[in-house]
């Protein structure tokens, strides 16, 4: 929801962005286009308050040492100075645009602890009265939903859609069904909010809540703190919902007070929500929902999820069995397809000190306390610290092959871990603070230690990552770590101590103490009372006030970056980070009519659960990939590649990286893994980027064939931008994840959905057919379209598909070639200031 007030007044709605280089590049490009087309570049300016938090750049290069954070932060600036210069220009050039600099925290945790107000107040410029209204937020990251834990409506959209909202375009969507989740009981000892959210994710994925709102209610709410709720709201994208919402109640007020918000705001929230009948108490009747389900908190126990999807939950006691099954299971069942003889492979890692260890399948190569999902929650971090403290007291150590890291979502975490003495215990196990940012959860895990990497590659080992994040999709965390499990921070520490996931921590010892006695995990796990006592001791509102006071000026390196006062950004063709994207360079004042899609070839054919990480990876850039070769050809050395995520301001790199995930399995190129396809009709197996170039040179349109839940995962606009720049005109899938479908429309790519019962498999499609899609002049939302399929051998046939342009305004977006083109053409008729 957003205000429709005139641009002269600040809005109650906010735009929250995380390291939003692609979106800011688009805004700069729109200014350049406005100038070329004779319009007013100053009109390209946010019409609502926008906060950008730089949290995606820092990488875990150094770890396990006291100076790891400084080393990583310095390297972050060295790698990203060009990008930060661009953002500093934007900070100066745009109004209502606030930047929280690097090394400050993670977007959603900063929002929860500092930016969010629940109820906002603004003085009306027309009447002079104070206007009170609910805080709302639209974010360019899918985990914007985390703020639902504080009783704020907010969700993630693609950067393309967010840019349009910033420029005054309403956010259109179909009215969603609201699913109620009734929470009963309370979490038992040993269970954490992380365990609960993994249960919620499993249950709601089974139920099917894609495109729906989820609201939590019931007596169990009284036992969940706002950080617990925020953990659950954060993972709404993983369970498929648009939002996961919790009502405002006494827990909300307690959290605002505990984070130093001030009594004026707290009283405003209490009075406003009470007056609007939005303040929940134990006597509040249950709301009415389209559908409901119940979750008994008493039944929640320790668990993990993986090795490739967040919804694949594994109770702790079943982990060893599940791991063995995953090794044998085929890739279609999210396994690794190893034969019995392959399961015994070992690799030798020889470290600089002369130590030599034998690594096996299941060795924990990465153990990371990371992600705002959990580092915003003091209870799970204090539990992890207490577990570490007890482990140190027993003389336990972490094996040398485990890369350990602690990346809090805000600097307040370091304060309370230090105050309680638990940071020292974590550091003794190698969990030193490596930086304040998303790190491992976004794929910035950094390289494995060279001896470990060599052993993994030489023996082709399936090693594991255990992280307290929200996503574990293939190829996301680290190129060499094929199995990744989501877990609570204390379990992250536990598996680091064990050094393997091939263990049952409920029955087998986690290690041996200094006296040679076996140590069980249950002996190290703290009681709920111990955690609560420390929480009461450690959390101080003054800490939050001090840490967030003038946070925008807190990073001197950031402040020292020079700022130009130019209205237009000066593009530099020599840059390998920031380039003017091609979306507006050839745009005319009026759109061309949509061109027919005739005799299209399939560029990519994939199965179910293909994520935006598969489509547009965020992690390391392989040197033998089209993107890596492009950088090498331009004189960029391999160690300077940085990551795909860091180069999202450069379409030349990102287009070459589209469908470049090293774990992508394109069924058009069987036997390959990564960004390969078969060019038709020649039959040449080549890179997707090269095949795309050949098709576009020949004037041949291309499409994508896919299964269920196409585009699940991050709200990554480059997954749609790269799709369009590869020349793909349409995506035909069994179903779409909400944000990616919207992004495709926003880039002028046609999303089509098979009718019920139809699929690639049921229709016997091989991907070698030619497809002609009839586009009528009067496209209507949800209409049925005809697709003619011409096989290599045999008769033509025709099927009907559903056009997933869902709203009338999306029809306009599609006809204009995209949402930003629509907005820009509308602004060109506006008078100059």
């Amino acid at each position: 929801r957003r205000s429709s007030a005139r641009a002269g007044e600040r809005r109650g709605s906010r735009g929250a962005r995380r390291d939003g280089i692609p979106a800011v590049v688009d805004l700069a490009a729109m200014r350049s286009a406005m100038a070329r087309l004779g319009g007013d570049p100053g009109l390209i300016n946010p019409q609502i308050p926008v906060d950008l938090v730089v949290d995606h750049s820092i990488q875990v290069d150094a770890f396990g040492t006291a100076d790891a954070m400084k080393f990583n932060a310095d390297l972050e600036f060295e790698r990203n100075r060009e990008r930060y210069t661009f953002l500093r220009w934007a900070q100066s050039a745009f109004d209502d645009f606030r930047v929280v600099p690097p090394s400050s925290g993670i977007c959603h945790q900063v929002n929860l602890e500092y930016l969010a107000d629940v109820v906002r107040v603004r003085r009306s410029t027309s009447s002079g009265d104070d206007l009170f209204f609910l805080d709302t937020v639209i974010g360019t990251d899918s985990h914007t939903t985390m703020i639902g834990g504080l009783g704020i409506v907010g969700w993630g959209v693609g950067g393309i859609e967010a840019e349009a909202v910033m420029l005054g375009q309403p956010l259109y969507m179909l009215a969603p069904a609201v699913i109620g989740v009734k929470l009963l009981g309370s979490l038992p000892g040993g269970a954490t909010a992380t365990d609960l959210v993994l249960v919620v994710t499993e249950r709601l994925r089974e139920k099917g809540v894609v495109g729906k709102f989820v609201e939590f209610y019931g007596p169990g709410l009284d036992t969940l703190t706002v950080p617990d709720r925020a953990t659950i709201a954060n993972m709404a994208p993983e369970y498929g919902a648009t939002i996961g919402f919790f009502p405002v109640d006494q827990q909300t007020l307690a959290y605002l007070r505990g984070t130093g918000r001030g009594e004026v705001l707290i009283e405003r929230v209490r009075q406003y929500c009470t007056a609007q009948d939005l303040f929940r108490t134990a006597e509040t009747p249950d709301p009415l929902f389209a559908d409901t389900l119940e979750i008994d908190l008493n039944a929640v126990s320790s668990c993990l999820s993986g090795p490739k999807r967040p919804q694949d939950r594994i109770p702790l006691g079943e982990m060893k069995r599940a791991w063995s099954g995953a090794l044998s299971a085929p890739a279609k069942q999210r396994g690794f397809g190893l034969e019995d003889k392959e399961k015994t492979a070992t690799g030798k890692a020889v470290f600089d000190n002369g130590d030599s260890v034998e690594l096996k399948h299941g060795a924990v190569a990465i153990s990371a306390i990371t992600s705002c999902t959990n580092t915003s929650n003091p209870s799970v971090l204090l539990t992890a610290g207490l577990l570490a403290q007890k482990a140190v007291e027993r003389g336990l150590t972490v094996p040398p092959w485990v890369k350990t890291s602690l990346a809090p979502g805000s600097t307040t975490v370091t304060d309370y871990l230090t105050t309680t003495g638990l940071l020292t215990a974590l550091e003794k196990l190698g969990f030193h603070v490596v930086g304040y940012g998303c790190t491992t959860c976004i794929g910035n895990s950094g390289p494995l230690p060279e001896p470990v990497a060599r052993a993994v590659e030489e023996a082709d080992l399936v090693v594991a990552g255990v992280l307290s994040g929200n996503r574990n999709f293939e190829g996301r965390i680290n190129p060499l770590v094929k199995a990744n499990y989501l877990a609570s921070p204390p379990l992250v520490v536990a598996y680091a101590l064990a050094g393997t996931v091939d263990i049952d921590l409920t029955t087998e010892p986690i290690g041996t103490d200094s006296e040679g006695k076996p140590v069980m995990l249950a002996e190290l796990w703290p009681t709920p009372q111990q955690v609560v006592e420390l929480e009461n001791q450690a959390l101080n509102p003054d800490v939050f006030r001090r840490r967030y006071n003038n946070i925008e000026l807190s990073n001197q390196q950031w402040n020292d970056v020079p700022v130009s006062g130019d209205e237009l950004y000066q593009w530099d063709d020599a840059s390998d980070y920031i380039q003017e994207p091609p979306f507006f360079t050839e745009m005319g004042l009026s759109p061309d009519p949509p061109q027919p899609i005739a005799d299209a070839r399939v560029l990519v054919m994939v199965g179910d659960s293909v994520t935006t990480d598969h489509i547009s990876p965020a992690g390391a850039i392989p040197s033998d990939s089209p993107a890596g070769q492009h950088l090498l050809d331009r004189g960029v050395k391999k160690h300077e590649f940085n990551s795909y995520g860091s180069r999202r301001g450069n379409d030349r790199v990102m287009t070459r990286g589209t469908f470049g995930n090293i774990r992508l399995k394109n069924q058009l190129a069987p036997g390959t893994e990564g960004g390969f396809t078969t060019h038709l009709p020649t039959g040449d197996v080549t890179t997707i980027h090269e095949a795309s170039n050949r098709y576009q040179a020949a004037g041949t349109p291309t499409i994508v064939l896919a299964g269920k839940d196409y585009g699940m995962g991050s709200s990554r606009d480059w997954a749609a931008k790269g799709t369009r720049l590869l020349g793909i005109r349409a995506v035909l899938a069994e179903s779409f994840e909400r944000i990616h479908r919207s992004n495709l429309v926003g880039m002028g790519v046609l999303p089509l959905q098979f009718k019920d019962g139809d699929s690639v498999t049921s229709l016997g499609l091989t991907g070698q057919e030619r497809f002609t899609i009839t586009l009528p002049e009067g496209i209507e939302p949800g209409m049925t379209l005809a697709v003619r399929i011409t096989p290599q051998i045999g008769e033509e046939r025709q099927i009907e598909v559903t056009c997933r342009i869902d709203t009338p305004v999306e029809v306009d977006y599609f006809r204009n070639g995209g949402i930003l083109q629509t907005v820009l053409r509308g602004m060109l008729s506006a008078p100059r200031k």
Side-chain angles (χ1 to χ4, degrees):
R1 295 176 293 176
R2 55 184 307 280
S3 168
S4 59
R6 295 177 61 84
E9 297 181 10
R10 288 182 62 87
R11 315 292 191 268
S13 299
R14 295 176 289 121
R17 311 219 332 242
R18 64 187 320 166
D19 199 9
I21 290 284
V24 183
V25 166
D26 285 348
L27 292 178
M30 291 177 77
R31 277 197 172 181
S32 296
M34 280 288 264
R36 280 194 302 270
L37 294 168
D40 179 4
L43 292 175
I44 306 299
N45 200 75
Q47 302 297 300
I48 58 172
V50 173
D51 294 293
L52 183 147
V53 181
V54 184
D55 63 2
H56 264 38
S57 300
I58 195 160
Q59 180 172 296
V60 187
D61 288 278
F63 68 98
T65 63
D67 63 351
M69 182 172 66
K70 183 179 187 308
F71 181 93
N72 292 329
D74 288 346
L75 192 55
E76 175 189 10
F77 256 88
E78 180 184 326
R79 287 169 170 158
N80 296 286
R81 182 165 293 277
E82 188 177 336
R83 300 167 67 231
Y84 293 168
T85 300
F86 173 70
L87 286 178
R88 289 281 280 156
W89 166 82
Q91 192 177 15
S92 171
F94 296 114
D95 297 331
D96 268 348
F97 185 83
R98 177 171 52 175
V99 178
V100 177
S103 299
S104 300
I106 299 174
C107 174
H108 312 307
Q109 189 163 341
V110 172
N111 192 23
L112 186 74
E113 294 178 353
Y114 171 59
L115 298 174
D117 290 338
V118 185
V119 175
R120 296 206 149 201
V121 59
R122 291 288 182 268
R123 181 63 56 86
S124 169
T125 56
S126 55
S127 69
D129 295 331
D130 282 342
L131 303 176
F132 295 84
F133 34 73
L134 292 172
D135 190 1
T136 56
V137 61
I138 296 299
T140 61
D141 184 89
S142 53
H143 294 104
T144 301
T145 56
M146 181 170 176
I147 205 61
L150 195 59
I152 293 174
V153 170
W155 65 85
V157 300
I160 309 156
E161 202 169 7
E163 292 160 47
V165 171
M166 281 190 283
L167 296 174
Q169 183 80 354
L171 182 63
Y172 294 93
M173 65 184 296
L174 297 176
V178 183
I179 308 300
V181 177
K182 190 168 190 175
L183 301 178
L184 305 170
S186 60
L187 290 174
T192 67
T194 315
D195 302 312
L196 172 56
V197 75
L198 296 182
V199 170
V200 169
T201 300
E202 178 187 46
R203 291 282 306 278
L204 289 180
R205 271 290 171 186
E206 289 174 351
K207 186 171 185 64
V209 293
V210 172
K212 300 175 182 178
F213 283 12
V214 166
E215 181 172 346
F216 297 89
Y217 71 108
L221 290 181
D222 294 325
T223 69
L224 297 177
T225 64
V226 164
D228 292 338
R229 299 173 182 189
T231 296
I232 298 164
N234 178 285
M235 287 187 68
E238 279 62 59
Y239 45 83
T242 301
I243 63 171
F245 182 78
F246 289 81
V248 173
D249 59 10
Q250 288 294 342
Q251 293 281 16
T252 313
L253 303 185
Y255 183 79
L256 292 172
R257 185 171 289 112
T259 50
R261 294 311 219 282
E263 291 303 319
V264 172
L265 172 64
I266 294 166
E267 186 61 16
R268 181 201 308 162
V269 171
R270 186 189 67 78
Q271 289 192 26
Y272 180 93
C273 291
T274 299
Q276 297 286 359
D277 205 18
L278 296 173
F279 194 89
R280 174 195 168 270
T281 68
E283 289 72 40
T284 301
D286 289 347
L288 299 177
F289 298 104
D291 196 3
T292 63
L293 63 87
E294 291 186 356
I295 293 179
D296 183 2
L297 304 186
N298 298 296
V300 175
S301 61
S302 292
C303 57
L304 304 88
S305 283
K308 297 181 180 182
R309 298 193 310 180
Q311 63 263 44
D312 297 328
R313 189 179 67 90
I314 306 166
L316 182 62
E318 297 179 20
M319 183 63 185
K320 186 171 186 176
R321 178 196 58 77
W323 169 251
S324 178
L327 281 181
S328 304
K332 287 185 177 181
Q333 298 176 16
R334 294 174 293 283
F336 303 101
L338 298 187
E339 304 289 342
D340 287 342
K341 61 181 179 181
E342 297 172 315
K343 291 184 180 181
T344 58
T346 60
K348 180 177 289 188
V350 181
F351 296 89
D352 291 341
N353 61 4
D355 287 351
S356 176
V357 295
E358 292 288 337
L359 297 184
K360 301 178 181 180
H361 295 302
V364 174
I366 290 177
S367 181
I369 300 175
T370 178
S371 172
C372 54
T373 312
N374 287 283
T375 68
S376 61
N377 193 329
S379 67
V380 293
L381 288 175
L382 292 171
T383 302
L386 285 167
L387 191 150
Q389 190 177 67
K390 292 186 178 186
V392 169
E393 290 169 356
R394 294 290 297 270
L396 299 182
T397 59
V398 172
W401 60 82
V402 183
K403 182 174 184 177
T404 49
S405 62
L406 168 60
S410 77
T411 53
T412 59
V413 175
T414 305
D415 283 334
Y416 67 69
L417 287 177
T418 301
T419 298
T420 56
L422 298 181
L423 186 60
T424 300
L426 287 163
E427 289 176 341
K428 286 182 178 178
L429 297 182
F431 288 95
H432 296 73
V433 174
V434 295
Y436 298 99
C438 299
T439 63
T440 303
C441 188
I442 186 55
N444 287 357
S445 58
L448 298 183
E450 195 276 333
V452 176
R454 189 185 322 114
V456 170
E457 290 183 296
E458 289 178 353
D460 196 19
L461 296 178
V462 180
V463 294
V466 182
L467 62 148
S468 64
N470 44 47
R471 293 209 168 121
N472 53 348
F473 299 135
E474 290 183 292
R476 180 184 178 98
I477 305 304
N478 184 282
L480 296 180
V481 182
K482 296 181 181 179
N484 291 282
Y485 293 91
L486 306 181
S488 65
L491 281 184
V492 170
V493 176
Y495 276 98
L497 291 165
T500 180
V501 295
D502 189 14
I503 186 173
D504 180 354
L505 288 178
T506 64
T507 60
E508 298 179 67
I510 197 171
T512 304
D513 67 12
S514 53
E515 297 180 1
K517 297 179 181 178
V519 179
M520 304 300 293
L521 176 60
E523 299 175 62
L524 304 179
W525 204 277
T527 65
Q529 291 74 22
Q530 289 174 309
V531 176
V532 170
E533 288 172 9
L534 271 185
E535 211 167 346
N536 293 334
Q537 168 191 334
L539 297 183
N540 185 337
D542 290 337
V543 169
F544 289 87
R545 295 190 190 102
R546 185 179 72 252
R547 284 295 191 177
Y548 283 113
N549 184 40
N550 289 324
I551 192 172
E552 297 86 356
L553 303 175
S554 62
N555 189 316
Q556 192 57 46
Q557 281 183 290
W558 174 264
N559 298 338
D560 291 341
V561 174
V563 181
S564 77
D566 298 334
E567 182 179 48
L568 300 179
Y569 184 71
Q570 302 304 309
W571 305 100
D572 180 4
D573 194 60
S575 172
D576 289 308
Y577 278 101
I578 306 295
Q579 287 294 331
E580 183 174 11
F583 309 126
F584 316 110
T585 53
E586 298 181 2
M587 192 189 87
L589 291 174
S590 58
D592 296 325
Q595 298 300 305
I597 304 175
D599 286 331
R601 288 291 189 178
V602 179
L603 185 65
V604 176
M605 186 168 79
V606 288
D608 297 341
S609 301
V610 167
T611 72
T612 50
D613 277 279
H614 285 112
I615 303 167
S616 183
I621 302 174
S623 57
D624 59 352
S625 68
Q629 287 298 309
H630 170 76
L631 292 172
L632 291 172
D633 291 344
R634 290 180 60 86
V636 180
K637 295 179 173 57
K638 187 178 185 302
H639 71 273
E640 298 173 337
F641 277 10
N642 215 330
S643 64
Y644 282 114
S646 71
R647 295 190 183 269
R648 289 179 189 161
N650 185 345
D651 62 280
R652 304 169 191 182
V653 172
M654 298 306 296
T655 303
R656 288 169 169 83
T658 303
F659 293 106
N661 187 301
I662 58 173
R663 301 292 173 230
L664 181 76
K665 295 176 178 63
N666 184 2
Q667 296 169 19
L668 271 183
T672 68
E673 192 173 43
F676 295 95
T677 193
T678 299
H679 176 262
L680 298 168
T682 64
D684 296 340
V685 176
T686 184
T687 66
I688 288 172
H689 181 256
E690 170 60 22
S692 162
N693 287 341
R694 290 165 68 174
Y695 284 130
Q696 291 189 71
T700 303
T702 54
I703 67 170
V704 171
L705 295 179
K708 299 181 181 70
D709 298 328
Y710 182 75
M712 65 188 299
S714 299
S715 57
R716 190 160 298 158
D717 53 359
W718 259 107
K721 289 177 175 176
T723 296
R724 172 176 169 175
L725 292 179
L726 285 175
I728 294 168
R729 298 286 309 282
V731 177
L732 178 53
E734 289 182 64
S735 64
F736 291 89
E737 205 77 349
R738 173 184 62 89
I739 296 176
H740 187 60
R741 184 211 62 81
S742 175
N743 277 345
L744 289 172
V745 176
M747 289 308 303
V749 179
L750 185 64
L752 302 173
Q753 189 161 313
F754 286 110
K755 294 290 188 181
D756 288 347
D758 283 352
S759 67
V760 169
T761 302
S762 70
L763 295 171
L765 301 178
T766 67
Q768 299 192 21
E769 301 86 356
R770 287 176 288 133
F771 293 77
T772 296
I773 301 164
T774 302
L775 292 178
E777 288 187 12
I779 295 177
E780 296 180 1
M783 71 185 304
T784 295
L785 296 178
V787 178
R788 189 175 74 243
I789 304 172
T790 306
Q792 285 184 312
I793 301 173
E795 296 183 359
E796 285 187 351
R797 55 178 164 161
Q798 184 166 297
I799 64 170
E800 291 184 337
V801 299
T802 301
C803 174
R804 285 300 312 276
I805 296 177
D806 288 352
T807 64
V809 73
E810 287 186 343
V811 174
D812 288 338
Y813 296 161
F814 182 73
R815 284 176 172 161
N816 274 278
I819 186 172
L820 297 180
Q821 290 84 346
T822 307
V823 173
L824 188 54
R825 288 189 175 107
M827 286 185 165
L828 281 166
S829 61
R832 294 182 68 88
K833 292 180 181 177

